[in-house]
Amino acid sequence: MIRGLLLFFGSIFSFHVNAANLSSITQTDMSLESSKRVDRGTIEYVYAVTQVNSGADAENVVGTVLSTTPNVVVVNGHFSVGTIYENKSVQTPSAITLRVDRSVPFDPTTLIFSFHGDLMVADGPPGDHYIEDVSYGTLTSPSESSSFHGVGEEFVLDVTGAYFTSEAYQITVSRNGDLIEGFGLSPSQLTFSNFFVNGENHVVVYATDDLGKPMVFEETYWAGNQSVNVRVQDETGMPVVADVVLKLSDDPTVTKSIRYEGGTLTVTDLPARTIIVEAFGTTDQYGSTAFIAGSQSTTTIAVKGIASPEPSSNLDFSNGTAGWVVTGPGTISVTP
């Protein structure tokens, strides 16, 4: 999982910046990421945008798109490019959102792209520069990807080592490919209320710090609104004190651990997926089962004790039948 970006260095030079309308940066491609129907004739599209720089190195680059036709409405037309070097191209995922009336053919050439940022001018002789200019900030979340979460639970993203930009349009958040626009923004934190949906939540965040440097966060979380009553019992049906672990079959690293001490124990926040359950009794007992969350109200794990080891040291018949004990009318013999 991506918790930040790597920083690479070649020869380091001092730079000064000049604010500029960067006509040398042009949009070269639009790649469709997702779409959803708004009404019978209108569809909303999310595009990634690729741009190339034919001029000098530039940083703090921000792109803007405008529509020149009434059948195309720009829902989100501001996006952060970050740093783009001479003769290099950069793709910005989930850059723009367009609402298109499909009763008229959609012509991408009717969109006007412009780019603004700072030119990077070296104060010393020409030479190699660092490959990618990135933030020193690290993005983390207190939400654990290795546990289950409730549907509608809050999601928080913290930044350390840097600060978020104060401009919300320079922060792009998607969940399962859908753009998330409503969030709280402070210099050190993003807050999303009622965030997690049922099932898988693949979260990708592209942000810019206060110096215009890019930061990236990517993680997958699982959430649900199903519950099940858990019971653990031995061969006679008596309750057994046990440690119980519920695992998601899609990703067994996603778990929930509970302590069963008798009666009925309710487990919540399970997605409607196959759940594997293991029980470890306090006296060397073990049992397992599986169920689909939401398909039953109670799951019972029957545990059995681990038998004592066989006392005979001749389990491979290397010494003939010596040490083997047979009860009943049967006999044991070794044949070639």
Side-chain angles (χ1 to χ4, degrees):
M1 301 298 179
I2 302 175
R3 293 288 186 181
L5 294 176
L6 297 179
L7 186 64
F8 298 90
F9 289 90
S11 299
I12 305 289
F13 296 93
S14 60
F15 288 87
H16 63 269
V17 295
N18 297 317
N21 178 8
L22 304 175
S23 59
S24 62
I25 300 178
T26 54
Q27 174 265 342
T28 61
D29 186 42
M30 290 170 51
S31 176
L32 180 64
E33 291 191 340
S34 65
S35 64
K36 65 178 181 180
R37 184 176 297 277
V38 177
D39 53 39
R40 184 174 181 181
T42 305
I43 299 178
E44 192 170 280
Y45 298 98
V46 176
Y47 286 94
V49 176
T50 300
Q51 44 275 319
V52 65
N53 184 10
S54 59
D57 299 343
E59 64 179 356
N60 305 328
V61 178
V62 176
T64 302
V65 62
L66 299 175
S67 171
T68 60
T69 59
N71 70 303
V72 179
V73 176
V74 179
V75 178
N76 177 30
H78 299 280
F79 55 98
S80 174
V81 179
T83 298
I84 181 169
Y85 295 108
E86 181 181 359
N87 297 323
K88 299 293 184 181
S89 63
V90 172
Q91 185 187 62
T92 305
S94 302
I96 60 173
T97 303
L98 308 176
R99 189 166 291 180
V100 181
D101 178 0
R102 294 312 303 264
S103 63
V104 179
F106 173 43
D107 182 6
T109 62
T110 61
L111 299 174
I112 298 177
F113 286 84
S114 61
F115 298 89
H116 294 76
D118 302 317
L119 292 176
M120 300 169 61
V121 181
D123 291 332
D128 295 332
H129 50 58
Y130 45 83
I131 297 175
E132 186 158 16
D133 190 18
V134 298
S135 174
Y136 288 102
T138 300
L139 300 177
T140 58
S141 174
S143 297
E144 293 290 341
S145 61
S146 59
S147 62
F148 296 103
H149 298 273
V151 172
E153 185 178 310
E154 179 185 71
F155 178 68
V156 174
L157 192 64
D158 299 311
V159 59
T160 56
Y163 294 100
F164 283 118
T165 176
S166 60
E167 302 293 341
Y169 73 83
Q170 292 183 297
I171 300 173
T172 301
V173 183
S174 67
R175 181 191 58 220
N176 299 333
D178 296 327
L179 189 67
I180 306 299
E181 295 183 339
F183 53 85
L185 171 62
S186 74
S188 60
Q189 191 176 79
L190 297 179
T191 305
F192 304 83
S193 59
N194 194 29
F195 184 79
F196 289 121
V197 298
N198 193 22
E200 185 178 16
N201 293 259
H202 183 66
V203 181
V204 180
V205 179
Y206 296 92
T208 303
D209 67 16
D210 56 317
L211 299 178
K213 313 301 184 183
M215 297 182 289
V216 179
F217 175 90
E218 183 176 5
E219 191 62 270
T220 298
Y221 303 90
W222 286 86
N225 54 10
Q226 303 295 329
S227 62
V228 67
N229 297 319
V230 175
R231 295 174 182 167
V232 183
Q233 63 186 36
D234 61 15
E235 296 97 321
T236 66
M238 295 298 294
V240 173
V241 176
D243 293 318
V244 180
V245 180
L246 295 91
K247 300 179 181 180
L248 180 69
S249 63
D250 300 74
D251 183 356
T253 64
V254 181
T255 64
K256 190 165 190 174
S257 299
I258 58 175
R259 179 75 168 181
Y260 180 81
E261 297 181 344
T264 299
L265 186 63
T266 301
V267 182
T268 60
D269 299 339
L270 299 176
R273 310 291 293 181
T274 299
I275 306 296
I276 301 168
V277 190
E278 293 183 299
F280 303 86
T282 57
T283 56
D284 292 331
Q285 295 167 304
Y286 175 80
S288 64
T289 188
F291 67 96
I292 298 176
S295 66
Q296 60 195 67
S297 60
T298 302
T299 185
T300 301
I301 306 103
V303 297
K304 294 182 178 181
I306 301 174
S308 300
E310 168 60 46
S312 173
S313 61
N314 186 34
L315 298 181
D316 61 356
F317 292 99
S318 60
N319 297 320
T321 59
W324 282 84
V325 178
V326 179
T327 59
T331 60
I332 293 178
S333 63
V334 179
T335 60

